[in-house]
Amino acid sequence: GSLGFLPKKRCRRHRGRIRSFPKDTPDKKCHLTAFMAYKAGMTHVLREVDRAGSMLNKQETVEPVTILEAPPMVAVGIVGYIETPRGLRALTTVWAKFLSDSVKRRFYKNWYRSKKKAFSSHASKDDEDADTQKELERMKKYCQVIRILAHTQIEKCKLRQKKAHLMEIQINGGANAAEKIDFGKELLEKQLPVDSVFAQDEMIDVIAVTKGKGYEGVVTRWGVTRLPRKTHRGLRKVACIGAWHPARIQYSVARAGQSGYHHRTEMNKKIYRIGKAARPMGDGKQGGAKPKIHPNATTEADLTAKAITPMGGFPHYGEVNEDYVMLKGGVPGPKKRVITLRKSCVPQTSRSATEKITLKFIDTSSKFGHGRFQTSKEKRKFYGL
């Protein structure tokens, strides 16, 4: 294992934290640089490779993908930062007038026992009151970095949890801070869909806390070699943990301890698809019939009307009925974990980064056994039901 990840201890936070945002680009329009989603599970896709000069060019390939459920986020505040020689210093925060209960839960340790008075005096003030305007003017005058406070709509994911995840998202682009603030003010109390932040074929970074594995020995934790079979007192050990002097154990010696539940950033994950919600908003049950499902897993080559949720649902997650992001490969963390998505910090020029992705087939067979059918309709037809 690498010593670059020391100390290998349990992460203090459950949500992936963005330690550095992409560099600001004043020549571009104002845009957001991050988003949050929930890990649903994995499946595989079939696509034709479009990479001139590659041995795989014009050939079909099957690749693993991760599905992240990403309901629209809601902007509830603006934070202004001043650049100082010692880093960023927060100048002031302006909050939206209305905050939903899901985000108010974030400010309480025990919601049901509390008086639920958070932000009630703030909401009773006039929307365009003098204090809010004064703070926004102060931001425009002094701040260089502007970020919005946005929270997830976790209640739409049906994960049993009601407390929303709240994060700061930096606004990049725009000639000056005033443009950024005007852009952020327009977003307050509005829903931010994932396709307003990211686009298909884009390379992004994924920040999350990995799957916890508890207390593990040195062979699993550090990948050291097992000792010979006949070794006295066990063989999944480090034979010598150091010299007599210095009479201490060096930090670089592999030892047993906590494995997993570490904060990790994985770079350069390609977006294969951003799918719309399976059940469009306002499409309720009519006349006792099931609501129509938007076929968000259909491709040009596979015209079967099906949603991204596999048969029987994603194991340990359930159904994905909201917007989703499909990323190539794996993502850190278990099912249901909140995943932070960030725009790439480096310009992407590689062949794989610039390649256009055209999916031919998305697998929706059961992930809980030997999946044989793509849809329940196909299964009923096969069995003649």
Side-chain angles (χ1 to χ4, degrees):
S2 170
L3 295 176
F5 293 107
L6 287 176
K8 280 195 173 182
K9 58 201 284 190
R10 285 176 60 80
C11 188
R12 285 184 296 114
R13 60 183 70 81
H14 185 73
R15 172 179 67 80
R17 174 171 162 259
I18 297 179
R19 290 175 178 153
S20 54
F21 282 93
K23 197 176 177 188
D24 198 0
T25 47
D27 54 324
K28 290 185 180 174
K29 277 193 202 168
C30 289
H31 59 273
L32 300 176
T33 50
F35 204 82
M36 278 194 287
Y38 296 93
K39 182 173 174 178
M42 293 187 74
T43 184
H44 64 264
V45 296
L46 177 79
R47 72 180 186 92
E48 193 174 278
V49 179
D50 180 24
R51 211 178 300 162
S54 167
M55 295 286 280
L56 273 174
N57 191 37
K58 303 293 180 200
Q59 294 197 47
E60 289 181 342
T61 182
V62 175
E63 290 175 331
V65 291
T66 302
I67 306 298
L68 307 175
E69 190 168 12
M73 292 180 75
V74 180
V76 289
I78 307 173
V79 191
Y81 288 91
I82 299 172
E83 287 174 351
T84 71
R86 292 177 302 281
L88 295 177
R89 178 174 75 84
L91 177 73
T92 185
T93 306
V94 171
W95 290 90
K97 191 168 184 182
F98 174 78
L99 271 71
S100 68
D101 279 357
S102 64
V103 71
K104 282 183 188 172
R105 285 172 181 269
R106 183 55 59 186
F107 309 126
Y108 287 99
K109 202 77 176 168
N110 194 331
W111 173 253
Y112 85 95
R113 274 189 174 169
S114 69
K115 293 180 180 176
K116 306 174 179 56
K117 299 279 282 180
F119 288 90
S120 55
S121 60
H122 170 76
S124 63
K125 291 181 185 176
D126 183 32
D127 188 26
E128 291 292 328
D129 80 329
D131 290 350
T132 304
Q133 280 303 109
K134 189 179 168 188
E135 293 304 313
L136 287 173
E137 291 305 320
R138 271 183 76 208
M139 271 195 224
K140 288 179 181 179
K141 188 175 179 183
Y142 297 112
C143 293
Q144 290 84 40
V145 175
I146 306 295
R147 294 174 183 170
I148 65 161
L149 284 156
H151 70 83
T152 59
Q153 298 187 77
I154 194 167
E155 65 278 4
K156 290 191 170 184
C157 289
K158 307 282 188 284
L159 295 180
R160 293 186 179 178
Q161 184 176 322
K162 297 174 186 174
K163 188 190 289 191
H165 291 95
L166 182 70
M167 76 176 293
E168 287 184 5
I169 302 175
Q170 188 160 305
I171 299 173
N172 278 2
N176 50 38
E179 272 190 42
K180 292 179 169 65
I181 290 162
D182 292 339
F183 174 77
K185 194 180 172 191
E186 285 298 310
L187 298 176
L188 286 182
E189 294 186 23
K190 289 185 182 166
Q191 300 210 356
L192 313 172
V194 66
D195 56 6
S196 67
V197 181
F198 301 116
Q200 189 175 328
D201 304 334
E202 193 176 342
M203 298 289 267
I204 63 172
D205 299 338
V206 170
I207 305 166
V209 175
T210 61
K211 197 183 289 185
K213 303 190 187 305
Y215 195 96
E216 292 279 16
V218 282
V219 173
T220 304
R221 194 177 185 223
W222 291 101
V224 299
T225 309
R226 291 191 317 159
L227 298 176
R229 180 183 61 81
K230 294 178 76 172
T231 309
H232 184 46
R233 290 185 183 154
L235 51 80
R236 295 176 65 87
K237 293 169 178 272
V238 174
C240 175
I241 58 169
W244 192 314
H245 290 291
R248 291 168 296 282
I249 297 175
Q250 302 270 7
Y251 80 95
S252 55
V253 176
R255 306 289 276 160
Q258 172 67 31
S259 179
Y261 206 72
H262 308 309
H263 189 276
R264 293 289 179 264
T265 303
E266 289 194 11
M267 298 172 74
N268 301 341
K269 302 281 183 189
K270 196 171 181 79
I271 296 177
Y272 272 17
R273 176 176 276 201
I274 294 177
K276 285 291 179 190
R279 292 208 179 96
M281 293 293 287
D283 195 3
K285 292 192 176 184
Q286 296 142 0
K290 276 190 177 178
K292 278 190 178 178
I293 287 183
H294 172 61
N296 55 15
T298 304
T299 63
E300 285 182 10
D302 175 32
L303 296 173
T304 312
K306 58 183 183 178
I308 192 67
T309 307
M311 288 189 68
F314 282 103
H316 307 284
Y317 187 87
E319 294 182 358
V320 174
N321 291 323
E322 296 298 317
D323 297 352
Y324 71 87
V325 180
M326 182 190 286
L327 295 181
K328 184 190 174 182
V331 162
K335 317 289 185 299
K336 302 181 186 174
R337 174 100 7 123
V338 62
I339 309 290
T340 306
L341 310 175
R342 180 191 66 187
K343 281 189 180 284
S344 180
C345 287
V346 290
Q348 297 292 333
T349 54
S350 69
R351 295 289 280 280
S352 58
T354 53
E355 185 183 354
K356 294 284 177 215
I357 302 298
T358 308
L359 301 180
K360 282 192 164 183
F361 169 76
I362 300 168
D363 183 64
T364 56
S365 61
S366 173
K367 305 293 162 209
F368 207 83
H370 301 281
R372 184 173 175 186
F373 306 104
Q374 294 296 316
T375 60
S376 53
K377 187 180 176 183
E378 183 186 318
K379 184 178 179 179
R380 285 196 302 270
K381 187 181 176 185
F382 180 84
Y383 286 117
L385 299 172

